[in-house]
Amino acid sequence: MTDPNAIQPSELDQLPDRDPEETAEWQASLDAVAKAAGPHRAAYLMRRTLERAEGTGVALPKLLETDYVNTIPTAAEPSVPGDEEMERRITAWNRWNAAAMVTRGSKHGVGGHIATFASAAWLYETGFNHFFQGKESDGSGDQLYIQGHASPGIYARAFLDGRLTEQHLDNFRQEAGGNGLPSYPHPRRLPWLWEFPTVSMGLGPLSAIYQARFNRYLTARGIKDVSSSHVWAFLGDGEMDEPESTAALALASREGLDNLTFVINCNLQRLDGPVRANFKIVQELEAQFRGAGWNVIKTLWGTAWDELFQLDTTGALVRRLREVPDAQVQTYQTRDAAYIREDFFGKDPALAEMAKLLSDDKILECFHLSRGGHEARKVYAAYKAAVEHQGAPTVILAQTVKGFTLGEGFASKNANHQMKKLTVDEFKNMRDLLELPISDSQFVDGVVPYGHPGADSPEVRYLQERRAALGGPAPARRTHALAPLPAPAEKAFASFDKGSGSQNVATTMAFVRLVKDLVRDKETGKRWVPIVPDEARTFGMESLFPSLGIYSPKGQTYEPVDRDQLMYYKEAKNGQILNEGITEAGSMADFIAASTAYATHGEAMIPFYIFYSMFGWQRTADQMWQLGDQLGRGFLVGATAGRTTLTGEGLQHADGHSPVIAATNPAALSYDPAFAYEIAVIVREGLRRMYGEAKPGEDQNVFYYLTVYNEPLPQPAKPQGLGIDEGIVKGLYRFNTAESAGLTVPANAPRIQLLGSGTAIHWTLKAQQLLAEEWGVAADVWSATSWTELRRDALEADAALLRGEERVPFVRQALQGAEGPVLAVSDYMRQVPDQIAQWVEQDWSSLGADGFGLSDTREAARRHFGVDAESIVVAALAQLARRGEVKATAVKEAREKYGL
């Protein structure tokens, strides 16, 4: 086993020492310091030397951790502009109303969180007063990712500002009446205030990074100059355990996103207890972010600690702060001075002597109250340094106390995340601490009152003047009065109507070809944002590389290995494609930023994100929900779709269920097109609905999910007749009948309706032929482009009936008069087509690929799952036999004939 204390080999061992004597002198000097002043002094000198080397450009590895002290010394802190006493009073009102709102709501059993905003109040208030740019100047402003559990504090500030009323606050978490406030930041529920949904832990930091990156993309491509926008993400130290929280740190530093600041509220507590009970989360995060190339600012201690640090002439205090685990720091918050003297100062003789110089009140002030995150001066210094830093993103690690100012019953208690209310006495103590002019008589029948200094009070005027100077209210979401995007030229879509002739074309390739035509459109082409997670060549998108370019802030600093080829790998500063590498989560974050640019920046962008269908909804469904909540618009494309169509890949790649997951998202319009012309119709309709002229009552804030396949097959011409386009959009139309397909069947032949979606329609077409030629059965083939949209329409019809309105579901209208039973076939599990079974009047049966996928040829896989043409024939005959329309022996004969 390797000795961890042994000197490890380094790159220096590989280099010849040009001056061994000089090296020996440096080493001897270090030995002498360690012997005379102690190893701690030697370590201090080494750290300072490394810092000087870094500052002068000497290439050395960076320190991943610094002492457990503030990065910005007190002497270097800039003064806070404005009226600090006024800002203290404003913050006091917001603290009060945030706690009152949740406490009053607890009587209705709706819950809420008090302790998070109590710890983070100054982190937000300092930003609102001095940094966060509003949208009234250029329409973009800063982008604020608010920590979900801090939402009561944001509502409280909006109440003070006059944007919310007492009625709103009393309806916190009570939205059914239409005048309430959502529990957390939910743009779909409060679209004039919230921009970004953040309470699903880890998605806020990931989205913030890609939002900052997308801001650079918009500027680089000349869509809109948003270089003045800054992205602020407010996060919890416990939240940083989510893998998504740190998944894209390297991207942010690699691309130099100095328009991005993370503010991590390090109150050392997560929901059930300490974040790092036996360790130090601040130090861990510092090393993680420094290692990823971020600028790190630690704001840990308040001004009360200045006296202690001045007394620390030996470094004993700094050493002790580094070694005390977080859970013990939390314990100090709840113990008396005697305990702290013994447990903290008593561990070191030098500290014991220091403690003799400190009063009990001073010790309690430091250990109970004084944290960097609770002082406007400390927070202002950190924010100013962050926005002025160039070349890298910044993370501010601000230490706070969870439940600060809420009283001893809350502060640093493990259960404070679940504590939803304060007693009247606790509120009165809080009032006295915050010095608020609220009288005892205002507590009527034990109900805590809201507090407001008055619409024309100095506090409100100051708040509004500060926001006016910074560009208006924040947070705020603006739905800009954007002109509808002009529809692309019809020829881009009509070219698919004639089919592919004798050429076999996969629907994945058909979609890529359509997009290739659409991005050439003079009016809207530049607004397309192609997003792909390192599978562009799999999906046949390499032809877009040289024409559109792959976005890179550095352009192309190398000569690509395939430069002499027509479809070479081209990166460009103004590239249009976002090729994200192997990260579906990052690609989805890209998509969300692009799909909401119409609101964030007043610029409608048309993202399409193409991915292995198996690795879309299954892997990032939480982000799809975030997309819907954030009112995003665009096209998600699940390529290489289906359970049996992707040859040889096997269980982990075989998607048989993504439409089931997609059906759970109310904002997702899910389609499984069979033919190229269906894709063209769906995309054209999507562009109209999301970006063009919406119909009365039509929700534009939706996104489309299309499944496309990698199996090259003939693409037929679009059938002639009325209602084809409507049927494609609504989810079902008759593709052909046995007679129109040129098949010979007896005049009174038994008839069946075959419904197929996606690639399965090709098996139904073959089954139609077998049924006619070998069994004398007439089959009509229907293309079910969207089982989910058919179901939603039927659900709406059911709801209409409850309101006393007569309405027939579209699926019933379409199948009205169709003879015989219905057999639905899908390359997905049977649950997908079965979504509509209850609204089909005919006898219903279905086939699908249930179970786990497997590696084999397409033919073998389809036979295994019982969805190939021959299996469809047997199932059809079985249905007809049950109805007495064919002989029962026909089913057995068919099974034997086809080897089933």
Side-chain angles (χ1 to χ4, degrees), residues 738-739 745-746 749-753 768 771-772 776-780 819 880:
E739 292 78 6
V745 292
R751 188 171 290 271
I752 189 169
Q753 308 299 317
Q768 178 190 46
L771 283 166
V777 172
D780 299 341
E819 298 177 27
L880 293 169

Side-chain angles (χ1 to χ4, degrees), residues 694-731:
K695 298 174 183 176
E698 193 172 51
D699 186 6
Q700 286 189 283
N701 299 315
V702 296
F703 60 93
Y704 282 66
Y705 174 56
L706 282 72
T707 50
V708 292
Y709 299 83
N710 73 325
E711 184 176 11
L713 291 165
Q715 296 298 324
K718 184 177 179 181
Q720 299 299 309
L722 297 175
I724 298 296
D725 285 8
E726 179 189 24
I728 292 172
V729 171
K730 290 189 173 182

Side-chain angles (χ1 to χ4, degrees), residues 288-305:
Q288 194 168 15
F289 278 87
R290 282 183 178 273
W294 286 52
N295 175 44
V296 179
I297 298 173
K298 292 196 289 192
T299 302
L300 308 180
W301 308 110
T303 52
W305 283 83

Side-chain angles (χ1 to χ4, degrees), residues 156-170:
R157 192 171 217 275
F159 169 65
L160 200 66
D161 194 13
R163 294 202 287 164
L164 293 175
T165 66
E166 285 193 16
Q167 183 184 15
H168 285 117
L169 301 193
D170 265 346

Side-chain angles (χ1 to χ4, degrees), residues 442-460:
Q442 290 177 262
F443 291 81
V444 179
D445 297 328
V447 178
V448 57
Y450 294 120
H452 200 294
D456 196 40
S457 65
E459 291 92 337
V460 173

Side-chain angles (χ1 to χ4, degrees), residues 497-732:
D497 290 353
K498 61 185 179 181
S500 64
S502 60
Q503 183 182 6
N504 289 340
V505 177
T507 51
T508 298
M509 296 304 301
F511 177 84
V512 171
R513 178 187 150 191
L514 175 62
V515 170
K516 190 174 181 180
D517 291 340
L518 292 175
V519 295
R520 292 177 180 149
D521 186 85
K522 292 181 180 179
E523 296 289 336
T524 60
K526 68 178 182 179
R527 298 191 176 275
W528 283 86
V529 183
I531 302 167
V532 61
D534 199 35
E535 290 280 4
R537 296 184 191 277
T538 300
F539 308 139
M541 290 177 58
E542 66 269 27
S543 62
L544 299 178
F545 288 169
S547 58
L548 300 184
I550 299 167
Y551 170 74
S552 170
K554 289 184 175 294
Q556 195 155 43
T557 61
Y558 60 92
E559 183 178 354
V561 68
D562 54 358
R563 182 62 181 86
D564 58 342
Q565 298 178 18
L566 181 62
M567 293 183 286
Y568 68 96
Y569 196 85
K570 177 186 176 182
E571 297 186 80
K573 292 182 179 180
N574 63 345
Q576 194 165 349
I577 300 171
L578 292 172
N579 193 355
E580 290 303 357
I582 305 176
T583 169
E584 285 82 9
S587 299
M588 267 307 302
D590 259 340
F591 187 89
I592 292 170
S595 70
T596 55
Y598 73 93
T600 309
H601 296 299
E603 295 288 344
M605 304 301 289
I606 312 172
F608 83 86
Y609 164 36
I610 187 167
F611 50 87
Y612 254 96
S613 66
M614 185 64 164
F615 307 137
W617 286 88
Q618 174 168 291
R619 185 167 290 183
T620 58
D622 195 11
Q623 288 177 284
M624 273 75 162
W625 196 266
Q626 177 191 9
L627 168 65
D629 192 358
Q630 200 167 317
L631 308 170
R633 305 170 183 172
F635 296 95
L636 296 176
V637 184
T640 59
R643 178 145 283 163
T644 69
T645 307
L646 188 60
T647 57
E649 289 287 2
L651 185 152
Q652 289 187 335
H653 286 66
D655 176 19
H657 53 277
S658 66
V660 178
I661 308 174
T664 66
N665 191 310
L669 277 61
S670 179
Y671 287 88
D672 187 23
F675 305 124
Y677 66 80
E678 293 178 351
I679 293 173
V681 170
I682 294 165
V683 171
R684 181 178 60 195
E685 171 66 8
L687 291 173
R688 180 206 62 77
R689 177 167 177 173
M690 295 185 290
Y691 302 97
E693 295 282 359
K695 298 174 183 176
E698 193 172 51
D699 186 6
Q700 286 189 283
N701 299 315
V702 296
F703 60 93
Y704 282 66
Y705 174 56
L706 282 72
T707 50
V708 292
Y709 299 83
N710 73 325
E711 184 176 11
L713 291 165
Q715 296 298 324
K718 184 177 179 181
Q720 299 299 309
L722 297 175
I724 298 296
D725 285 8
E726 179 189 24
I728 292 172
V729 171
K730 290 189 173 182
L732 182 68

